[in-house]
Amino acid sequence: MGEVETRLKALGLELPPALSSPDGQRLPFPMVQRHGARLLISGHGPQTAAGAMHEQRGKVGDDLTTQQGYRLARLVALSVLASIRREVGDLDRVRRWVRVFGMVNSGPGFYEQPSVINGFSDQIIELYGRERGSHARSAIGVAQLPFNIAVEVEGEVELFDDC
């Protein structure tokens, strides 16, 4: 078991299985696209431990609090990590996190999107350390996200050259 997997276990965290589309069909696009030593990560939402879309949905600032959004963003990190592991087999193959783009399904007047996406960033840095886990980041509010999920994150990581 690698370093990141050991940290996951020590924190009592488990990665969810692959998400299928809401109608049960295979997704029509890859969740992770490999390009040389880079992984481009499609937008992910929060999942349950069983792999379903998380049932807590809605607009942060109306239906959900900032803290609830933060916790959902931490779950998005686990969903992304699960996709990375399925693609490259070992989470320790990630040399560093490069970029994260976080979207928050925001109620009118809500402006704490960075605080919500901190959940994702904090989870990644907790698992990879500051040197490998720190990343460039944007956090924006949107009028709606697919299936009324509260948080969606996409990003990019760099792999070690020998992967």
Side-chain angles (χ1 to χ4, degrees):
M1 186 180 319
E3 187 178 314
V4 175
E5 298 268 353
T6 300
R7 285 189 186 132
L8 278 166
K9 188 174 181 176
L11 293 168
L13 301 173
E14 291 186 33
L15 301 182
L19 179 70
S20 58
S21 68
D23 60 6
Q25 301 299 311
R26 187 169 167 262
L27 295 173
F29 56 88
M31 293 305 291
V32 177
Q33 182 73 45
R34 192 168 183 168
H35 183 70
R38 296 181 344 181
L39 292 182
L40 304 173
I41 303 160
S42 295
H44 284 63
Q47 289 180 256
T48 66
M53 278 194 276
H54 200 280
E55 63 279 353
Q56 198 170 28
R57 301 182 198 185
K59 294 190 178 299
V60 181
D62 277 354
D63 308 311
L64 304 167
T65 66
T66 301
Q67 190 60 32
Q68 288 172 312
Y70 175 93
R71 286 192 298 272
L72 290 168
R74 288 180 73 92
L75 292 177
V76 174
L78 298 179
S79 179
V80 167
L81 290 169
S83 290
I84 291 171
R85 184 172 68 184
R86 281 188 292 278
E87 179 67 24
V88 299
D90 182 355
L91 294 173
D92 287 342
R93 292 178 132 177
V94 173
R95 177 185 292 244
R96 72 169 293 116
W97 283 78
V98 177
R99 182 188 67 82
V100 166
F101 180 71
M103 297 160 275
V104 179
N105 186 358
S106 298
F110 182 75
Y111 55 84
E112 296 180 32
Q113 291 85 4
S115 296
V116 171
I117 301 303
N118 281 348
F120 184 95
S121 297
D122 290 348
Q123 185 71 79
I124 295 302
I125 292 168
E126 186 174 10
L127 293 167
Y128 280 91
R130 192 153 296 284
E131 186 176 320
R132 289 173 63 198
S134 291
H135 45 266
R137 189 185 90 177
S138 296
I140 65 165
V142 297
Q144 194 65 53
L145 285 171
F147 311 106
N148 204 31
I149 61 174
V151 181
E152 181 176 348
V153 177
E154 67 175 48
E156 181 178 344
V157 298
E158 177 187 6
L159 301 173
F160 285 103
D161 292 334
D162 61 351
C163 295

